[in-house]
Amino acid sequence: MSSLTDAPEAPVTHRKIPDRLDNPLRSALLSWETLLLLVAVVIFIVNSFASPYFLNAWSLSDLTFNFTEKALIALAMALLIIAGEIDLSVASIIALASTLMGLAVQSGADTPTLLAIGIGTGLVCGAFNGALVTGLKLPSIVVTIGTMSLFRGLSFIILGDGVFKGYPKDFGFFGQGYVFWVISFELALFLVAALIYWFVLHRTNFGRRIFAIGNNETAARFSGVRVARVKFVLFCLTGLMSGIAAVLLTSRLGSTRPAIAQGWELEAITMVVLGGVSILGGAGSIVGVVIAAFIMGLVTFGLGLLNVPGIVMSIFIGLLLIVVIALPIVYRMARK
Amino acid sequence: MKTLLKYREIWLVVAILALAIGVSVRSPGFIQPRSLANIFNDTSILIMLALGQMVVILTRSIDLSMAANLALCGMCVALLNVAFPGIPVPLLLLAAAALGTALGAINGALVWKLDIPPIVVTLGTLTIYRGMIYVIAGGAWVNAHQMTEAFKAVPRTELFGITLLSWFAIAVVAVFFVLMTRTPLGRSFYATGINPTAATYAGINVGRTRFIAFCVAGMVSGLAGYLWIARYAVAYVDVAGGFELNIIAACVIGGISIAGGIGTVAGAVLGALFLGVVNNALPVIGISPFWQMAISGTAILLAVIFNSRGERRRGRIILKKAEVL
């Protein structure tokens, strides 16, 4: 916490002109991951005292299934939000991808085909969002509210109130298999993906361009960044990750209904924001998002062990989101 | 700009009429007064909520918690009604509106005093309010037989041929029309959204205006909460689940710019009516209701493409060059 005090003070101005809101996270960003890690450790300790079933390799392994699929989407969503855009349609992309996979199963598709369909659908949906936002210069929040309705709507048209089952046996590996001892395929995939996203965002030119766009799009454009192209790629990536999440989730559940993954877009965004990514764009880190994903998993799993119903957990998630963001701000105000 | 706005609303009216006439070719009963009154009745709650959301969007904010607010207020008055059947309905209505305003004020205060972006605040309160319903009701449902007759009767009572629910919507539309076009507060919503800096220089407290906008949206949600629960005569955790998106959809279709400052009462009402007509038309022409979601999604996309043309500002030719690059 002490490093919080070292954070640079926001310049004091005489009048406040809230045209572009001052990003309250930036000043605390240096210590944001530390703060999150602290929260994670506290929740971990509380959990292990609260339930005797918690501190066990298999319990902890089960815990990761709670969030890995959403966290995979959150990785790509973080990049998108840093670039100043948002995608609310991710959960609907899962629904559509899962439905199309189910449709393919009915005509006897094998596992590689299913993979291609699931991931391909995600990519196409993402590209569709990206084309609308960058090609027609539309606000992404409205476009993706529209495609959110459209994608899940298509899945309702295909499925109605029915259900697709009968996925091939070896398809179950992606959502239920283990790579090594208690490390599930999902967890391994998430860790590898997190490493790749970390490298791309923090160690490549492409990553720098994302930050540049989020901080000042016009300046980025004048510096020679092809803004539209970068954004389009980010929408495709988000779609792609949603497609991968659809494969994992469908494989884990073994069935598809049109209401699959309902509300996941909000959870993925919560992870991103909790992870210290500014919703206004231009700031954030993958490490923060990964820790935030673990925090969300820990909270829901810990409460689950205590038989707290899912809907009550959502109160904690909502409170966590607001309190963690409000804390540094209140702290700064109190110091003044 | 003004003529453009009118243009857009006229197009919406044309689209709604074309839709209604198209449907009535297949089924002549669709445009009978009785059926139209039904459609309006079905859409009443959406109209009210869209107006509340409009005020928030005008100030460059967004309220994702309206449906959860509605459900929480609805559950509270339903529980009050069960516990104290003696409380007269108008008092419950007031209680719902007051509670809704309070919940909206929480959103507004977080946005105003802590400068947390509205989408983050309402994303959080959306899940909190929804969860609170479970906590206060213990996960139980409040069913029709537990509610008093008077409680359930209000939205259905007919007055001059249309239901009281429809009259509520008409009253809310009238109030909003006066508020937005005839009061300084209404104008300050527009000013805040179109140019916060200029609004500040003009003496408008931007933060406070946003706060009031959230309170207005909350009050409408609370009012709609009672009406929704009383109309469907059942209260449970998932009441109006996902309805926040329908509300935003109605606003977008109605030509309210998500960037703030642009939009009219007529637009919001027409946007809501458009969705209402579509939803009511589907079963009539024999299309499965499962098409509803995809159709409203397409309508949102078309509306936003259409809107973006009208919103391109002319005074920004210098930046225009940059945008082309």
Side-chain angles (χ1 to χ4, degrees):
Chain A
M1 286 296 276
S2 68
S3 54
L4 260 180
T5 51
D6 303 330
E9 274 289 330
V12 182
T13 48
H14 293 292
R15 53 169 191 276
K16 194 157 168 22
I17 304 173
D19 185 7
R20 178 158 166 78
L21 294 175
D22 171 32
N23 174 13
L25 301 182
R26 193 162 303 155
S27 55
L29 196 68
L30 281 174
S31 59
W32 190 259
E33 286 82 6
T34 330
L35 185 71
L36 278 180
L37 203 60
L38 213 71
V39 172
V41 169
V42 169
I43 297 173
F44 191 88
I45 293 171
V46 169
N47 271 348
S48 41
F49 275 109
S51 165
Y53 308 106
F54 179 75
L55 219 54
N56 167 310
W58 286 102
S59 283
L60 294 176
S61 168
D62 279 352
L63 179 159
T64 60
F65 285 100
N66 267 334
F67 66 86
T68 37
E69 292 142 7
K70 294 166 203 159
L72 278 168
I73 301 172
L75 290 175
M77 182 83 83
L79 268 52
L80 198 57
I81 292 180
I82 291 173
E85 301 287 342
I86 199 163
D87 187 349
L88 296 173
S89 70
V90 287
S92 299
I93 295 179
I94 294 183
L96 184 57
S98 184
T99 303
L100 292 181
M101 282 191 282
L103 206 59
V105 163
Q106 309 308 307
S107 50
D110 57 352
T111 301
T113 320
L114 288 180
L115 272 180
I117 290 175
I119 297 173
T121 307
L123 196 59
V124 170
C125 290
F128 183 67
N129 282 333
L132 282 175
V133 172
T134 60
L136 297 175
K137 297 193 176 62
L138 303 176
S140 58
I141 183 162
V142 189
V143 166
T144 55
I145 282 175
T147 53
M148 177 184 185
S149 243
L150 178 63
F151 295 153
R152 199 181 286 278
L154 289 175
S155 137
F156 267 107
I157 292 174
I158 295 170
L159 257 170
D161 49 6
V163 57
F164 280 141
K165 279 182 184 167
Y167 288 94
K169 275 266 173 329
D170 54 348
F171 184 67
F173 171 77
F174 303 109
Q176 300 163 16
Y178 289 85
V179 182
F180 170 71
W181 190 43
V182 295
I183 308 291
S184 63
F185 176 76
E186 287 200 0
L187 180 62
L189 186 66
F190 169 61
L191 292 176
V192 171
L195 213 63
I196 295 173
Y197 272 88
W198 173 82
F199 184 78
V200 168
L201 183 63
H202 299 296
R203 290 287 178 275
T204 64
N205 287 341
F206 186 74
R208 298 311 300 167
R209 288 191 192 117
I210 295 171
F211 280 109
I213 293 171
N215 273 309
N216 189 336
E217 201 180 313
T218 315
R221 195 176 279 121
F222 280 121
S223 316
V225 177
R226 289 182 224 220
V227 173
R229 185 185 288 187
V230 172
K231 283 186 177 173
F232 180 76
V233 170
L234 292 181
F235 275 104
C236 290
L237 272 183
T238 310
L240 180 79
M241 296 311 275
S242 309
I244 294 173
V247 170
L248 297 179
L249 180 64
T250 310
S251 154
R252 186 158 64 88
L253 301 177
S255 67
T256 299
R257 286 176 204 280
I260 193 171
Q262 195 111 51
W264 277 28
E265 62 282 331
L266 298 187
E267 288 191 49
I269 294 170
T270 304
M271 274 181 200
V272 173
V273 174
L274 196 60
V277 172
S278 159
I279 199 88
L280 305 172
S285 82
I286 291 296
V287 178
V289 174
V290 171
I291 302 175
F294 274 95
I295 289 181
M296 301 255 299
L298 280 169
V299 170
T300 49
F301 192 74
L303 292 172
L305 282 179
L306 299 174
N307 290 323
V308 174
I311 185 83
V312 180
M313 283 180 206
S314 67
I315 300 184
F316 285 92
I317 299 285
L319 277 176
L320 196 68
L321 177 69
I322 292 182
V323 169
V324 171
I325 289 179
L327 259 182
I329 303 171
V330 174
Y331 180 78
R332 218 175 38 207
M333 284 170 125
R335 259 168 42 102
K336 265 181 194 164
Chain B
M1 205 66 220
K2 198 141 199 183
T3 50
L4 259 176
L5 280 177
K6 274 192 185 137
Y7 192 59
R8 197 181 304 156
E9 273 130 26
I10 289 168
W11 271 106
L12 251 180
V13 173
V14 171
I16 294 172
L17 285 181
L19 199 67
I21 292 168
V23 173
S24 68
V25 171
R26 282 280 289 271
S27 150
F30 191 71
I31 48 169
Q32 293 297 312
R34 191 74 230 163
S35 153
L36 290 180
N38 266 336
I39 294 174
F40 186 79
N41 191 47
D42 276 344
T43 319
S44 291
I45 291 179
L46 182 60
I47 291 175
M48 293 184 228
L49 293 168
L51 286 169
Q53 182 71 265
M54 175 191 75
V55 175
V56 175
I57 293 180
L58 278 180
T59 64
R60 288 199 183 175
S61 303
I62 194 157
D63 189 349
L64 296 173
S65 71
M66 284 185 85
N69 184 339
L70 175 157
L72 180 52
C73 294
M75 178 56 94
C76 285
V77 289
L79 288 174
L80 270 178
N81 180 249
V82 172
F84 308 101
I87 301 177
V89 175
L91 218 60
L92 285 177
L93 202 61
L94 270 180
L99 179 62
T101 312
L103 295 176
I106 294 176
N107 289 333
L110 287 169
V111 171
W112 179 19
K113 290 300 179 192
L114 295 185
D115 260 5
I116 309 179
I119 189 167
V120 178
V121 169
T122 55
L123 199 60
T125 52
L126 149 74
T127 57
I128 295 171
Y129 295 165
R130 200 49 88 180
M132 289 306 293
I133 306 171
Y134 184 94
V135 174
I136 60 163
W141 290 41
V142 180
N143 290 309
H145 64 89
Q146 295 167 278
M147 301 173 186
T148 60
E149 284 309 315
F151 183 84
K152 289 180 285 183
V154 169
R156 295 151 204 251
T157 313
E158 292 215 359
L159 195 67
F160 306 122
I162 59 173
T163 61
L164 219 48
L165 178 62
S166 304
W167 280 113
F168 266 109
I170 292 170
V172 168
V173 172
V175 168
F176 269 88
F177 183 76
V178 174
L179 173 74
M180 298 314 288
T181 59
R182 296 283 179 274
T183 67
L185 179 63
R187 303 318 293 171
S188 70
F189 289 137
Y190 284 104
T192 299
I194 203 87
N195 191 337
T197 314
T200 306
Y201 279 116
I204 293 169
N205 185 335
V206 170
R208 208 180 61 124
T209 311
R210 287 208 175 110
F211 173 77
I212 295 172
F214 276 104
C215 292
V216 169
M219 185 190 288
V220 173
S221 308
L223 187 70
Y226 162 72
L227 293 170
W228 183 298
I229 299 298
R231 178 171 188 225
Y232 297 105
V234 60
Y236 53 97
V237 172
D238 277 327
V239 162
F243 204 68
E244 55 273 345
L245 294 174
N246 294 31
I247 303 169
I248 296 169
C251 287
V252 171
I253 294 172
I256 289 145
S257 164
I258 211 84
I262 301 173
T264 61
V265 171
V269 173
L270 288 171
L273 277 177
F274 180 83
L275 285 178
V277 170
V278 169
N279 291 349
N280 277 279
L282 291 182
V284 175
I285 53 174
I287 292 178
S288 139
F290 291 117
W291 280 73
Q292 187 182 312
M293 211 172 175
I295 290 176
S296 68
T298 313
I300 296 171
L301 289 178
L302 291 178
V304 68
I305 293 170
F306 192 70
N307 286 349
S308 74
R309 291 189 173 170
E311 272 167 35
R312 298 249 160 99
R313 297 189 192 150
R314 291 199 191 117
R316 285 201 175 172
I317 291 168
I318 305 165
L319 283 178
K320 203 85 194 179
K321 236 178 192 170
E323 272 169 29
V324 172
L325 270 166

